[in-house]
Amino acid sequence: MLLQVRDLSLSLRDTENSWFWSRGEHVNIFNGINFDIDLGQSLGIVGESGSGKTSLAKTITRLYQPSRGSLLFDGVDISSLRENELGSFRSKVQFIFQDALSALNPRQTIAQIISNTLMNFSIETSKSAALTHAGELLDRVGLPRSYLSRYPHQLSGGQRQRVGIARAIAPKPKLIVADEIVSGLDVSTQAQILALLRELREDGSLIFISHDLSVVRVLCDHVLVLREGKQEELGKTVELFDNPQSRYTRDLLAAIPLPEYDPTWLDREVERKTRDTEECMKIQGAVVFVTGSNRGIGAAFVQNLISRGASKIYIAARDTSKLQNLVSENAGKLVPVELDITNDQQIARAVAGASDVNLLINNAGVNGNSALISANDLASARDELDVNYFGTLAMCRAFAPVLKKNGGGAIINILSILSRVNLPACGSYCVSKSAALSMTQGVRAELAGQKTLVVGVMPGAVDTDMAKSFEGPKENPNDVANASLDAVEQGTEDVYPGGMAQGVSQGLAGDPKAVEKEFAAYLPG
């Protein structure tokens, strides 16, 4: 038996309600947990928020020391070992955290993050060998080796999660503990990561914590149900789902409607994603049309397209005089285009002059920072819908035949995380971006048959003129452009660049009403 857990309990000091941490009373987190897991098996841990799932996972991996009970790993009781005695255990058991951004050192490149792990566990003894091995690990988790030179903030949430997996499998552990690692990711990225976890299970064991019972049903052999820190039920997955013994388990299953069970679901998702990735394209050699390219994210797109080797870039703006510096600095590669995306005649002229395009980037947009009710009139709302929704839709409609004629390609629509939740201070902008997100999904479905990838990019606040009045953290436009172009090269449909977008997306996946109430606190005026 690989892992034997007997009467495992944990209590922690309550530091929030005491003047000094040493005087805080102990609070029971979980009590009397018992289960076994053998090599090659997978255990799902489920339960309501606050039931002790994450604390149990951290105790199993000895990030917490249990208050009572025993943890036998490979026949050795590691429950009372000191930190300096856990070296061998640490290499055999690895933890994959839910928040990949905070779990990865922001000051280290991906190469440093993975190669340091390899050297710390003596898997490799030289930096060059560790770097080569790190590249092989990226291959295994489906990331290009070029990402070794990047920092965590330059990757999307799904990409960072794969780096976390690469780091976890680096020492070839016998047990991987994954804590809610797919919440907040788009469905296609979830499918890829879940398929990777199932593949890793062939080399060891897996403990998988999730609120998504349909995923647990497909991925795990056994399920442990926690309720307020106590073991409510434990059994084989098929038996527990078909005939739950506990009233709490029955209520838990009833509270989250499950789809009709299909054990081949994950296989079909992976196959679908494989077909989708055939629609991805290389930026090098691409012919690109960028709207709103005179500043902000648009200007960042132009610079990144140049550095990635795009063969020709049509740069569009309402006032082409603002593009002259860019054009003069990159003679022969940039073609200025006068374009107001709400003007049908200008769109028609732009399409006629750019018939060789295979990548369209819809970046032009406006934000009147107007609320829905307290605004003086509907002028901002109409302007935002005109540009952000109708203008973007008009560009997709105009260039779809061009992309089809050129054998397919890609469209990037720059949206906002506010397309998924409303910030009252700029409510009409949120509505326009929400409409644009819905439109993006519809266009994606319509153009799938012509080998055109449609990417929706949903960042948080970005450091541009549009977000001047926003006082919170802002993303670098260059990072947003990079993440968007990476998505095109990898065939990813939805992108959430930056910590804010990732956090909001994860929050919406876990408790959307709580996110809505938090945003509602930022009332205008």
Side-chain angles (χ1 to χ4, degrees), residues 334-371:
L334 304 184
V335 180
V337 178
E338 182 183 7
L339 177 63
D340 176 347
I341 64 171
T342 65
N343 186 311
D344 292 340
Q345 292 181 339
Q346 288 190 9
I347 291 177
R349 285 198 295 269
V351 172
S355 59
D356 50 350
V357 165
N358 57 4
L359 171 58
L360 169 65
I361 300 177
N362 286 312
N363 170 67
V366 295
N367 183 359
N369 291 299
S370 298

Side-chain angles (χ1 to χ4, degrees), residues 7-45:
D7 194 30
L8 197 67
S9 302
L10 175 70
S11 61
L12 298 174
R13 239 178 247 285
D14 181 6
T15 58
E16 292 185 1
N17 298 310
S18 62
W19 285 99
F20 301 102
W21 70 268
S22 59
R23 297 180 183 176
E25 295 182 0
H26 280 82
V27 177
N28 289 327
I29 308 300
F30 59 79
N31 292 288
I33 307 299
N34 295 275
F35 67 84
D36 297 333
I37 182 169
D38 211 346
L39 199 63
Q41 289 184 335
S42 58
L43 172 71
I45 301 179

Side-chain angles (χ1 to χ4, degrees), residues 87 90-92 94 116-124 171:
R90 292 273 183 246
S91 67
K92 297 175 183 177
Q94 289 289 298
N116 286 347
T117 300
L118 290 165
M119 297 186 71
N120 288 342
F121 288 115
S122 301
I123 305 300
E124 301 291 354

Side-chain angles (χ1 to χ4, degrees), residues 89-100:
F89 171 76
R90 292 273 183 246
S91 67
K92 297 175 183 177
V93 178
Q94 289 289 298
F95 197 110
I96 305 174
F97 294 87
Q98 177 180 2
D99 185 358

